Amino acid sequence: MAVLVHASNYHLLSLPHQEQLPSKKVLHLIEDHEGFLWYATEGGGICRDDGRQVDIFRSDNNHPELLGSNDVACLAEVQSSLIIGTFHGAYILDKKDYSIQRIKEVDDKRVDAICVASNGHYWLTSNRKIYEFSTDHTLLHTYPALWKGNGKYVADIIEDSHHDIWVALWDGGLLRWTAAKGQFEEMPWHSGSAPSAIVEDVTHRCFWIGTIGQGVVRYLSDTGDNAPQAQTYSKDASNHTSSICIDLLFDKEKSLLWMTTTEGLTLYDTSKGTLQPISLSHILPEGQLTLCRLSVDQRGNILVAGTIPHAFAICPDPYHKEEKGITDGTYRWQYHERQGGVVTNTTNGEKHLSRWGNSPLLPLINKRRNAEGVWVTDGKTLFANTWDTITEYASLPTRPNTLSDDGLGYVWFASNKGLQRLNLKTKEAEVIDANLQDISATAFTPDGTLWLANIYGQLYHFKDGKATLDEYASNEYGDAILQLSIDSMGHLMLYSDKYVRHYDTQRHTLWSESLTTDDMYSIHLTTTQPYCRWSEPQRNAVVERLPRWMGSWWAWCIYLFLIGAIMTLFIHYLILRRQRHIFIERMKQSVEVSQKPQETPSDTPKEKSKTQADNLWLNLAIQTIEKNIDNEHYSVEQLSSDLCMSRMTFYRKIQALTGQKPTEFVRTIRLRRAAALLQEGRLNVTEISYATGFSSVSYFSRCFRTMFGVPPTQFGNDTTADSLSPNVTPS
């Protein structure tokens, strides 16, 4: 199915982080299935862009043998590995641990091209040889690249839709490998110039072949039986007939041929079987372009490797909205809700209304696989619609909800009786699966699988007579899937009212694009001064509203952290305030119940007041320690905090009053309590050591003997702690 394309539907996108590349010369650029961009550079090795930074893999002083050459010619992804073709041999990068190993079977020469086949095997070309490797990187065969008996270097290698391998030879012609013969054979090539690039056009059953100095050749082929047949070719006019074709890329959905040459980038429309140039001058950089290989990413963007000005991507315009319809060569069929079916001649704009008498046609249009035109219906009859005629084809037993031509002689449709199909030869319909109800869309993928979606957002694949629910791609919210289609990459596109989902049915990867305008605004610019205008009034400036950082997940983490910190500080303030209040109350009580100290004639009133305050404070400190005496973790820091003092102030005061350090002072209080408990005789030494805050019995015994001169086991009832303990009164 081709889609009408204009050059204005595309825009150039500069790839990010290219300033981090060690070399400006990018020879190849691919995107792997994880979404990473890999650059093959000349002189800089291979580089991986993960969206945040560029990681470089190359030989240097620390890794002198990582790659045989930092000049990398081509790349290809095989399962979880990356095949690297350098100017001196081939290498394998394991993406699980990013180790690099040399492929020893390949000559230490430049690797010309890499092709990954549909069976997982990959083909390498180097030094006039063609190598075939299995998925586990085992060499299966080595073939000489011969043309007329002489060895030739390979320009390009591809796999066609019949799983045959085609090779374009520098200074030679074309080779083809078939599984039946298991060897390469020369194919007819009568052009006066050697081929340099080759790509298959499945729609027109031909190959487009770039040459050296003679433009592009349309090479006709019919290899359905995998047997060599006579080939013909015809050369189409090209703007680059004097240049060398470097690489070709074919978009089968839009029938577009992309080509890089020694002069730049060219785009051709091949929908009519010939080359119709499409100008890209409005999006390409000015001046001479030095470009290399082409590739396509998962979203259908064209990745262009180059040196001047740099590598870039050609992307479909995300703001360009085409009306739904089908283009077949010159004509385009569309359905308008009020007018019904409309056929448009894309060359002159002439339109015809497609109606069957007074009956309006349903909005169900499907391309006829083996004939011109499309299938349409009014709900009762299936019609074949061409440019100026609409022909009754067959009666339908029920009103269909969908139409899909499988290309094998059947039109499949869904109705209230389930999934049915119509035999185009007998014109008889049969029910295939009556349990499939409420089907809203159907589509066939290139592998022949029928995909069905219903109004509840569920997606099924139907193959070998059985329908299986695909839970991964089904809509968990129940939004109805209104349309299914296949893009140029063979991905299934699921349309709803608000978004479109791209589903890679082979790799089981899924991503969405919003169709709403909630975060998209179009600004139409007009001048406020007379006799003035904008340089491009037809274009609209589009502004995309980014998510506000205040509503992002990491912003909420900051909010929660700040709230927690504020609550912690507030609770700590309340605790300190409460401790200060308790301390003041204790001081008041101590003053009230304390006895008047013994006065001496030599004491002055000021000295008497100071001595009394020191005694009160020291008694309060002792009471605080005794209150927490069984807590082995009760530290000097906690004691000073409970007394509403800094640790340094507490240290100086204890030292001045007792002549002891704070830790000695606390240990003295604990040991005096232990001595008193030993005199009571109710607890043993182990119990007393834990009751007085000592973490081990041995440490308790050592401290006790140091203080009292005897071990705790010999401390008797006739010994008093007061008589043996040091003085803890003010000095």
Side-chain angles (χ1 to χ4, degrees):
M1 180 179 70
V3 179
L4 183 62
V5 174
H6 299 284
S8 60
N9 297 357
Y10 290 91
H11 67 282
L12 185 144
L13 175 65
S14 296
L15 299 174
H17 307 139
Q18 287 199 69
E19 69 280 357
Q20 300 181 27
L21 297 179
S23 172
K24 287 188 60 177
K25 297 182 179 180
V26 179
L27 304 184
H28 197 191
L29 171 64
I30 66 171
E31 181 189 43
D32 64 11
H33 74 279
E34 298 171 301
F36 296 149
L37 287 177
W38 292 87
Y39 294 85
T41 70
E42 183 175 341
I46 59 172
C47 306
R48 188 197 72 167
D49 185 353
D50 61 4
R52 299 181 301 273
Q53 64 180 12
V54 172
D55 298 318
I56 303 171
F57 302 83
R58 61 177 175 178
S59 297
D60 53 26
N61 293 334
N62 297 325
H63 309 88
E65 298 181 357
L66 186 65
L67 292 175
S69 171
N70 286 332
D71 297 328
V72 182
C74 50
L75 299 170
E77 183 184 20
V78 178
Q79 295 182 346
S80 61
S81 301
L82 195 71
I83 310 302
I84 307 168
T86 74
F87 284 22
H88 289 283
Y91 293 80
I92 300 174
L93 184 149
D94 189 342
K95 292 197 291 183
K96 295 178 181 178
D97 56 8
Y98 289 92
S99 61
I100 298 178
Q101 301 293 332
R102 188 179 186 277
I103 304 178
K104 299 180 180 179
E105 296 83 357
V106 178
D107 290 348
D108 188 21
K109 301 293 183 180
R110 174 172 177 148
V111 176
D112 306 303
I114 307 173
C115 170
V116 180
S118 56
N119 61 358
H121 294 185
Y122 59 94
W123 299 73
L124 286 174
T125 67
S126 176
N127 194 27
R128 302 185 181 93
K129 297 177 184 177
I130 305 170
Y131 303 87
E132 180 186 7
F133 288 86
S134 64
T135 54
D136 60 355
H137 310 297
T138 301
L139 178 64
L140 301 178
H141 299 284
T142 302
Y143 305 94
L146 299 177
W147 181 257
K148 307 301 181 182
N150 298 318
K152 301 292 182 181
Y153 288 102
V154 174
D156 200 5
I157 181 170
I158 67 166
E159 181 192 35
D160 67 9
S161 56
H162 300 288
H163 310 300
D164 297 341
I165 303 298
W166 290 76
V167 175
L169 299 175
W170 289 104
D171 298 328
L174 297 177
L175 301 180
R176 187 185 69 171
W177 177 93
T178 61
K181 292 185 176 293
Q183 63 182 7
F184 283 93
E185 57 183 348
E186 295 183 5
M187 302 302 292
W189 180 254
H190 306 295
S191 174
S193 179
S196 58
I198 180 172
V199 69
E200 185 184 15
D201 183 346
V202 180
T203 304
H204 299 97
R205 304 181 70 177
C206 69
F207 291 91
W208 297 102
I209 301 177
T211 66
I212 302 175
Q214 291 194 14
V216 182
V217 169
R218 183 172 182 263
Y219 193 89
L220 303 179
S221 173
D222 186 3
T223 57
D225 56 358
N226 288 327
Q229 299 179 9
Q231 309 292 317
T232 60
Y233 76 95
S234 61
K235 183 173 65 176
D236 290 283
S238 170
N239 292 334
H240 299 279
T241 55
S242 61
S243 62
I244 299 176
C245 175
I246 298 174
D247 199 11
L248 294 172
L249 181 67
F250 186 73
D251 185 340
K252 64 181 180 180
E253 180 183 6
K254 300 177 182 177
S255 294
L256 296 177
L257 180 67
W258 297 84
M259 179 174 68
T260 54
T261 70
T262 52
E263 296 182 359
L265 178 67
T266 306
L267 176 62
Y268 293 106
D269 180 5
T270 67
S271 58
K272 298 180 181 179
T274 59
L275 299 181
Q276 302 295 326
I278 300 176
S279 175
L280 297 173
S281 59
H282 68 290
I283 61 174
L284 293 179
E286 297 181 358
Q288 181 69 29
L289 302 179
T290 303
L291 306 179
C292 299
R293 295 180 182 269
L294 298 168
S295 62
V296 62
D297 66 9
Q298 299 182 34
R299 295 179 177 268
N301 302 322
I302 309 300
L303 303 179
V304 184
T307 302
I308 300 175
H310 48 66
F312 55 86
I314 302 293
C315 310
D317 192 342
Y319 312 117
H320 177 79
K321 303 297 182 182
E322 291 186 349
E323 297 182 11
K324 296 179 181 179
I326 295 176
T327 299
D328 182 17
T330 308
Y331 305 109
R332 179 171 176 80
W333 283 263
Q334 296 170 287
Y335 180 84
H336 293 268
E337 188 171 343
R338 296 182 180 273
Q339 295 177 321
V342 177
V343 185
T344 305
N345 187 322
T346 59
T347 58
N348 56 25
E350 184 180 355
K351 296 184 178 182
H352 283 174
L353 291 179
S354 295
R355 300 181 67 89
W356 181 252
N358 295 322
S359 300
L361 298 178
L362 299 179
L364 305 177
I365 305 175
N366 192 257
K367 177 73 175 66
R368 298 177 69 187
R369 291 290 188 93
N370 299 319
E372 294 183 355
V374 295
W375 296 112
V376 294
T377 180
D378 62 353
K380 301 178 181 179
T381 307
L382 182 68
F383 301 101
N385 190 189
T386 59
W387 160 242
D388 54 357
T389 60
I390 180 170
T391 306
E392 184 176 357
Y393 195 87
S395 299
L396 299 176
T398 56
R399 181 186 179 92
N401 299 326
T402 65
L403 287 178
S404 291
D405 189 340
D406 62 4
L408 302 175
Y410 293 93
V411 171
W412 296 69
F413 61 95
S415 68
N416 57 3
K417 292 187 178 181
L419 179 64
Q420 304 179 65
R421 70 177 181 181
L422 176 70
N423 191 316
L424 296 178
K425 292 184 178 179
T426 63
K427 300 183 180 181
E428 295 181 355
E430 58 177 330
V431 178
I432 302 300
D433 192 334
N435 295 322
L436 292 172
Q437 297 291 326
D438 302 313
I439 300 299
S440 56
T442 57
F444 280 96
T445 49
D447 61 356
T449 302
L450 176 62
W451 292 83
L452 309 99
N454 62 20
I455 59 177
Y456 306 109
Q458 295 174 315
L459 183 68
Y460 296 86
H461 62 269
F462 187 89
K463 197 168 186 179
D464 300 328
K466 181 181 179 181
T468 305
L469 176 65
D470 191 319
E471 296 183 356
Y472 177 72
S474 295
N475 189 312
E476 64 272 22
Y477 304 109
D479 298 335
I481 300 175
L482 306 178
Q483 182 183 352
L484 294 176
S485 64
I486 309 298
D487 67 6
S488 59
M489 299 291 294
H491 299 162
L492 187 65
M493 315 224 3
L494 298 78
Y495 294 87
S496 73
D497 280 335
K498 295 185 177 180
Y499 58 83
V500 57
R501 285 186 171 183
H502 302 250
Y503 182 34
D504 187 338
T505 59
Q506 300 297 323
R507 297 175 176 174
H508 295 284
T509 56
L510 185 70
W511 63 94
S512 300
E513 293 181 6
S514 175
L515 297 180
T516 64
T517 58
D518 294 342
D519 294 336
M520 197 74 67
Y521 302 93
S522 178
I523 302 176
H524 299 265
L525 303 176
T526 59
T527 179
T528 58
Q529 299 181 5
Y531 310 109
C532 294
R533 68 173 185 177
W534 293 96
S535 59
E536 293 178 322
Q538 297 84 1
R539 294 193 178 188
N540 299 328
V542 179
V543 179
E544 183 177 358
R545 187 180 69 190
L546 299 176
R548 294 183 177 180
W549 69 270
M550 293 180 293
S552 59
W553 66 268
W554 55 267
W556 279 105
C557 293
I558 295 176
Y559 300 155
L560 294 176
F561 174 79
L562 292 177
I563 292 174
I566 293 173
M567 293 182 63
T568 302
L569 292 175
F570 181 72
I571 293 173
H572 182 66
Y573 168 77
L574 293 179
I575 292 175
L576 291 179
R577 184 176 180 182
R578 177 62 178 169
Q579 289 178 346
R580 181 176 180 84
H581 177 73
I582 294 174
F583 176 76
I584 294 174
E585 291 295 326
R586 287 179 178 177
M587 291 293 292
K588 291 180 179 179
Q589 294 174 4
S590 299
V591 171
E592 293 174 358
V593 301
S594 62
Q595 296 181 355
K596 190 173 182 180
Q598 183 71 25
E599 296 185 5
T600 61
S602 60
D603 289 338
T604 64
K606 183 176 181 180
E607 292 175 342
K608 294 178 181 179
S609 176
K610 181 177 182 301
T611 303
Q612 183 180 9
D614 290 341
N615 287 333
L616 291 175
W617 181 87
L618 188 61
N619 289 333
L620 180 61
I622 295 173
Q623 293 174 12
T624 305
I625 296 172
E626 291 178 342
K627 182 179 178 181
N628 298 278
I629 201 165
D630 59 343
N631 183 4
E632 63 178 284
H633 300 293
Y634 191 73
S635 62
V636 175
E637 288 79 2
Q638 186 63 45
L639 174 60
S640 60
S641 176
D642 290 344
L643 295 175
C644 299
M645 302 177 69
S646 68
R647 190 181 187 282
M648 185 58 65
T649 303
F650 178 75
Y651 180 91
R652 288 196 297 265
K653 195 170 185 65
I654 284 293
Q655 184 77 19
L657 294 178
T658 67
Q660 293 180 312
K661 297 179 180 178
T663 53
E664 296 175 349
F665 176 74
V666 174
R667 186 165 60 246
T668 298
I669 303 303
R670 292 182 186 275
L671 291 173
R672 288 184 61 183
R673 172 63 66 85
L677 292 175
L678 286 171
Q679 287 178 336
E680 293 178 3
R682 293 184 296 104
L683 303 176
N684 58 34
V685 173
T686 301
E687 293 172 336
I688 291 174
S689 67
Y690 293 129
T692 54
F694 288 91
S695 58
S696 69
V697 178
S698 59
Y699 177 67
F700 166 69
S701 299
R702 187 166 59 253
C703 293
F704 192 92
R705 183 165 186 165
T706 300
M707 180 172 176
F708 295 107
V710 295
T713 54
Q714 299 178 8
F715 192 83
N717 295 331
D718 57 342
T719 306
T720 62
D722 290 336
S723 63
L724 297 177
S725 63
N727 184 24
V728 293
T729 59
S731 58

